[in-house]
């Protein structure tokens, strides 16, 4: 009984058409940032290294290199703060989690590009 109630509440929070991307894709995440009473869009660009959870609790992790230092950020997929997620390029991957990229630097971080047909 209580699971049915939770499912109803979750359905109201889920986006009807969530962004379509896969692990290994380089994406631009457009976020709405509130500063006082002003609102602006900030873009976080990086490689999707993990997707976890399901339903309204689904999260994805994006990693990028800033000033030689790796920066990772987790985003809720169904968050109203996420304006859109643009796929810039797709990478060839053979794993569900790309945590091995944390130990790599320079050109070794890059993934081979998947050809789209």
């Amino acid at each position: 009984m209580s699971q049915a109630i939770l499912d109803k509440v979750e359905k109201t929070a889920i986006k009807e058409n969530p962004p379509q991307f896969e692990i290994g894709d380089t994406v631009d995440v457009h976020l709405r940032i509130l500063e006082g009473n002003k609102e602006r869009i900030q873009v976080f660009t990086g490689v999707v290294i993990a997707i976890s959870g399901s339903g309204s609790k689904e999260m994805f992790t994006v990693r990028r290199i800033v000033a030689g230092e790796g920066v990772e950020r987790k985003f809720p997929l169904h968050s109203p703060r996420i304006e859109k997620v643009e796929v810039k390029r797709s990478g060839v991957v053979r794993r569900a989690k790309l945590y091995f990229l944390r130990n790599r630097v320079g050109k070794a971080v890059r993934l081979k590009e998947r050809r789209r047909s």
Side-chain angles (χ1 to χ4, degrees):
M1 180 67 177
S2 63
Q3 188 62 38
I5 295 169
L6 287 173
D7 289 341
K8 276 188 178 179
V9 171
E10 264 191 12
K11 281 188 181 181
T12 61
I14 291 179
K15 289 182 181 177
E16 288 184 20
N17 49 354
Q20 298 296 317
F21 56 88
E22 296 176 1
I23 293 170
D25 290 356
T26 301
V27 294
D28 284 351
V29 182
H30 296 257
L31 294 166
R32 277 194 220 113
I33 304 293
L34 287 173
E35 293 176 337
N37 57 355
K38 289 186 177 181
E39 187 176 291
R40 66 183 176 89
I41 301 292
Q42 183 176 10
V43 180
F44 190 91
T45 304
V47 178
V48 178
I49 63 166
I51 298 175
S52 62
S54 63
S56 66
K57 298 183 268 307
E58 191 168 356
M59 307 279 282
F60 63 99
T61 307
V62 179
R63 179 179 175 82
R64 72 176 181 179
I65 307 295
V66 178
E69 197 70 30
V71 176
E72 289 182 13
R73 188 157 176 198
K74 288 186 83 166
F75 299 100
L77 184 66
H78 298 285
S79 171
R81 293 252 180 253
I82 293 181
E83 184 72 28
K84 64 181 175 178
V85 178
E86 279 184 61
V87 178
K88 290 297 182 185
R89 60 188 295 255
S90 297
V92 176
V93 294
R94 296 170 63 179
R95 290 174 176 35
K97 307 285 193 239
L98 303 181
Y99 297 140
F100 66 90
L101 293 178
R102 293 172 175 167
N103 301 327
R104 297 191 178 186
V105 292
K107 288 184 178 181
V109 175
R110 292 187 302 186
L111 299 170
K112 289 182 185 175
E113 189 164 1
R114 184 179 340 141
R115 294 184 182 200
R116 296 181 185 175
S117 55

